[in-house]
Amino acid sequence: MDKQRRCELAEFAFRVRRNCIRMTNNGQSGHVGSMLSMADVITVLYNGILKNVSAEDPKNPNRDRFILSKGHAGCAVYATLFEKGYFPEDWLMTYYRDNGKLMGHISHHVPGVEFSTGSLGHGLPVAVGMALAGKLKKASHKVYCMMSDGDMNEGSSWEAIVFAAQQKLGNLVGIVDYNRVQALGHSENVADLEPLDQKLELFGWNCVTVDGHDLEAIENTFTSLPNNGKPTMVICRTIKARGVPWLEDTVKSHYGFIPNDRVEEAIAGCRAYADECMKGE
Amino acid sequence: MRTIFNKTLIDIAKDDPRIHMILADIGYGEIEPFDEAFPGRLYNVGVAEQNMTGVACGMAMEGNVCITYSIANFPTLRCLEQIRNDVCYHNQNVKIVIIGGGVSYGPLGISHHSTEDIAIMRALPNIVVMVPCDCIEAEAAVHAMIEHDGPVYYRCGYKNESDIHEGPINFQIGKSIPVCDGDDIALFFTGPIGYDAKKAVKRLAEEGISVRLVSMHSIKPIDKEEILTSAKRFGKILTVEEHNLSGGFGSAVAEVLAEAGCPCELKRLALPDVYVSKVGSQEWLREQYGLGQDDIYNAVKEMLNK
């Protein structure tokens, strides 16, 4: 990855983080940590990985489908879709507010959003159905579904994992934003999924693990996914609330937002983090 | 009834390649002809109803019409949130079909009794709730279900139901179908228990009591016109359903009457608010829990003070 591209992606991810911080603060909502952990991955996905996805032709039948199963972090998708021109800037600060344009959990009423979620364990079964339909039509697009630690607790996710392998859905890409923090604690103390990669491989999936904050590694991973007819899970090892040092890897960042008196400090943290990303190795 | 359901679905699916069946390992002996007729259009997800419903929704989002199909509560209560959040909220073409409405699976016990489903399913926005009473309605209901663009809940009976209608019917979502007219009282039923109602009405006729008997196969939307017209005409309505008293068909009728401010005596014959824990056949259980033919007969006579 050349420096210009790295800088562009880091800047995009910074803007996503900044808007998530401002929107959740303005709405006094929560889940800012879940948004910041996925900001780098969603940045890469919407800047070159998802094919035929554009605000100009949002219903293009050949578009890759993206479902956010961790719907509580929908603000990060809204912030991304805004950057990609799906809706005007004045929508952003209506997030979580009366008569707002942007619902707390991700909503298909927002242009560019394929599917509404909010209760965990719903995204992957639907993505499997979409991928199965695509396979039957011999369509070339892929279906991506981003999940969380908590999502992977749900039995319905594992039901879908079994069935996707059974149907050999090579057009299905799962993504785990694996920040290892869920609502009431660190995942290893709640419902430990380790060794997640081995479990998924035993369930018949390809499994690739990547540093979910290394923009170049994320891009390289998604541009070289296995092509062997099996569904693939990309485990993105991330840090909850990445970019805001005093909030990183904390349980409180799951439900919280950043208070007024610390917003600018938090944004400055994300700025510094982005600047570091731009330097590369 | 389940046989006519599957046969009719195959007939329609011949000309409608959108139709797929998404199953959760239920349907042995009934669903095989669909699979043989349309290879690649039936998927068994295994015993995983949440995934069945989510997969059906995802396939429907790509332009398909998907049938989820299983016993009693398995494709409804087990995966209710998938029906609510995925299918109904996104208004997708998923048709949720249960086999064994009410206590059809009598001695199998309460896990296989679908006795709260009407109340629960009709509470969901965007869904049509239909309860055919015999094979004539069941066949027409499959056509209506597929023609309707959006989620449908189809409460099928089981097997060996007797026909209630004696001639051609005009089946429309949101409309009821009169079985016979009368002068003294209206009796509205939903589902195969209407056959017991019809027998009771015949006995009453022999005593000079004349009952307007109506099949209300469409519970959501419900035929308000029939309810209010009958209320004004008779001032007395009896509803009969094989379902818990709470929130079901009779409750839906009561809502229409109450909101219209229509003075009308209403009695709801339904299962009491308990689990059906006695062991026995559907017919025996109906009698045990106040839904036998005699109970219907007596309810009419009590309402007419005869």
Side-chain angles (χ1 to χ4, degrees):
Chain A
M1 181 179 282
D2 64 31
K3 183 172 175 59
Q4 182 183 350
R5 172 130 180 97
R6 190 165 62 240
C7 290
E8 286 171 359
L9 291 175
E11 188 63 27
F12 189 103
F14 166 70
R15 291 197 299 269
V16 169
R17 284 191 166 91
R18 182 179 60 189
N19 276 332
C20 286
I21 290 168
R22 287 177 173 167
M23 290 161 73
T24 50
N25 166 267
N26 188 58
Q28 301 204 3
S29 59
H31 303 118
V32 70
S34 309
M35 299 160 191
L36 300 181
S37 75
M38 63 178 273
D40 296 309
V41 178
I42 193 108
T43 290
V44 175
L45 288 175
Y46 274 85
N47 286 285
I49 300 301
L50 298 178
K51 300 294 188 289
N52 302 315
V53 169
S54 74
E56 290 73 33
D57 190 11
K59 296 294 181 187
N60 183 335
N62 298 318
R63 74 192 183 284
D64 286 340
R65 276 65 163 165
F66 175 78
I67 289 179
L68 183 74
S69 192
K70 44 173 285 183
H72 53 281
C75 186
V77 176
Y78 299 153
T80 302
L81 292 173
F82 161 66
E83 296 293 337
K84 303 305 287 186
Y86 280 85
F87 51 80
E89 186 170 11
D90 59 10
W91 284 26
L92 291 175
M93 290 305 152
T94 73
Y95 172 75
Y96 219 82
R97 301 295 294 261
D98 290 349
N99 199 30
K101 294 283 191 183
L102 304 174
M103 193 180 289
H105 288 82
I106 195 162
S107 166
H108 68 288
H109 295 299
V110 176
V113 175
E114 296 278 356
F115 191 70
S116 298
T117 59
S119 175
L120 296 176
H122 284 247
L124 192 60
V126 172
V128 167
M130 295 171 89
L132 179 57
K135 183 179 178 183
L136 293 175
K137 282 192 285 195
K138 297 184 169 55
S140 58
H141 67 264
K142 289 182 177 176
V143 180
Y144 293 79
C145 179
M146 182 184 279
M147 293 173 286
S148 64
D149 298 77
D151 230 356
M152 296 297 285
N153 290 175
E154 291 279 6
S156 52
S157 295
W158 291 94
E159 291 178 3
I161 285 166
V162 170
F163 184 63
Q166 181 80 27
Q167 295 298 326
K168 300 182 172 60
L169 298 179
N171 56 348
L172 176 67
V173 182
I175 303 162
V176 184
D177 176 25
Y178 202 40
N179 59 41
R180 310 284 287 136
V181 177
Q182 51 192 99
L184 293 184
H186 283 78
S187 300
E188 68 261 31
N189 300 323
V190 178
D192 197 1
L193 296 164
E194 286 294 295
L196 183 57
D197 53 349
Q198 292 177 39
K199 286 175 181 168
L200 288 162
E201 284 169 357
L202 285 170
F203 274 68
W205 284 53
N206 303 308
C207 193
V208 183
T209 300
V210 64
D211 176 348
H213 299 302
D214 181 334
L215 295 165
E216 183 171 1
I218 298 166
E219 183 169 85
N220 289 340
T221 296
F222 282 101
T223 53
S224 59
L225 293 174
N227 185 20
N228 57 5
K230 292 182 183 179
T232 296
M233 192 73 77
V234 180
I235 298 176
C236 298
R237 290 200 171 271
T238 55
I239 295 170
K240 197 96 169 182
R242 186 60 160 161
V244 181
W246 49 270
L247 206 55
E248 285 183 358
D249 196 35
T250 60
V251 173
K252 73 175 180 181
S253 77
H254 182 83
Y255 278 124
F257 63 93
I258 293 169
N260 291 345
D261 60 352
R262 302 200 77 175
V263 164
E264 291 311 315
E265 176 192 356
I267 291 172
C270 293
R271 178 74 264 168
Y273 170 72
D275 290 343
E276 281 301 306
C277 291
M278 290 178 186
K279 290 178 187 169
E281 292 298 322
Chain B
M1 192 184 287
R2 65 175 178 176
T3 301
I4 194 75
F5 172 87
N6 282 291
K7 179 180 177 302
T8 308
L9 186 65
I10 289 173
D11 289 344
I12 299 171
K14 284 174 186 165
D15 298 319
D16 191 343
R18 300 175 305 159
I19 296 175
H20 291 72
M21 291 193 86
I22 313 296
L23 305 181
D25 215 31
I26 290 290
Y28 180 77
E30 292 291 333
I31 53 80
E32 294 84 354
F34 186 99
D35 198 22
E36 290 159 11
F38 313 113
R41 288 169 59 184
L42 182 150
Y43 290 90
N44 180 4
V45 306
V47 187
E49 290 80 7
Q50 295 179 74
N51 190 45
M52 169 179 73
T53 306
V55 167
C57 182
M59 288 192 71
M61 289 177 72
E62 297 293 333
N64 298 294
V65 177
C66 292
I67 319 293
T68 62
Y69 172 106
S70 191
I71 288 174
N73 301 313
F74 303 169
T76 52
L77 303 195
R78 182 61 177 247
C79 46
L80 182 60
E81 198 179 67
Q82 278 76 14
I83 294 171
R84 177 183 181 271
N85 296 10
D86 303 350
V87 173
C88 290
Y89 183 42
H90 294 82
N91 205 17
Q92 290 300 314
N93 247 329
V94 176
K95 318 300 180 183
I96 300 141
V97 179
I98 71 155
I99 303 301
V103 295
S104 302
Y105 283 103
L108 285 181
I110 76 113
S111 63
H112 287 56
H113 295 164
S114 185
T115 48
E116 304 83 24
D117 54 320
I118 294 172
I120 292 166
M121 300 305 283
R122 82 180 183 93
L124 301 175
N126 288 349
I127 199 166
V128 165
V129 177
M130 53 171 64
V131 186
C133 70
D134 64 7
C135 288
I136 299 167
E137 280 193 6
E139 180 178 356
V142 183
H143 286 276
M145 173 183 88
I146 299 296
E147 285 166 12
H148 177 76
D149 186 22
V152 172
Y153 174 53
Y154 184 116
R155 189 198 216 214
C156 194
Y158 182 29
K159 59 185 178 183
N160 301 326
E161 289 85 359
S162 300
D163 279 344
I164 296 169
H165 298 293
E166 293 169 4
I169 59 168
N170 179 15
F171 187 102
Q172 294 179 55
I173 291 170
K175 293 291 180 186
S176 56
I177 304 176
V179 177
C180 64
D181 199 13
D183 299 319
D184 299 323
I185 187 171
L187 193 166
F188 299 157
F189 67 85
T190 196
I193 198 162
Y195 188 69
D196 285 325
K198 186 179 177 184
K199 285 194 290 187
V201 166
K202 278 188 178 173
R203 282 169 58 193
L204 291 160
E206 289 164 7
E207 298 175 27
I209 297 172
S210 175
V211 180
R212 176 172 172 82
L213 183 65
V214 178
S215 170
M216 290 218 165
H217 55 76
S218 178
I219 293 177
K220 185 176 185 175
I222 200 161
D223 188 348
K224 293 181 182 176
E225 185 181 355
E226 170 63 42
I227 294 167
L228 295 177
T229 301
S230 282
K232 286 173 188 156
R233 183 176 163 198
F234 303 108
K236 294 176 190 293
I237 292 175
L238 174 65
T239 63
V240 179
E241 65 194 300
E242 195 168 310
H243 183 275
N244 189 294
L245 188 63
S246 301
F249 165 57
S251 298
V253 172
E255 289 162 13
V256 173
L257 291 172
E259 285 200 330
C262 188
C264 177
E265 183 184 350
L266 172 71
K267 180 169 178 59
R268 298 175 297 153
L269 267 192
L271 293 167
D273 191 21
V274 298
Y275 289 103
V276 174
S277 54
K278 293 183 183 178
V279 182
S281 68
Q282 180 179 29
E283 187 178 357
W284 186 84
L285 289 172
R286 284 175 178 168
E287 291 168 357
Q288 290 293 308
Y289 287 88
L291 274 179
Q293 188 195 135
D294 287 348
D295 297 301
I296 301 170
Y297 169 90
N298 290 332
V300 171
K301 293 195 75 166
E302 283 170 19
M303 290 181 77
L304 295 172
N305 299 314
K306 289 184 177 176

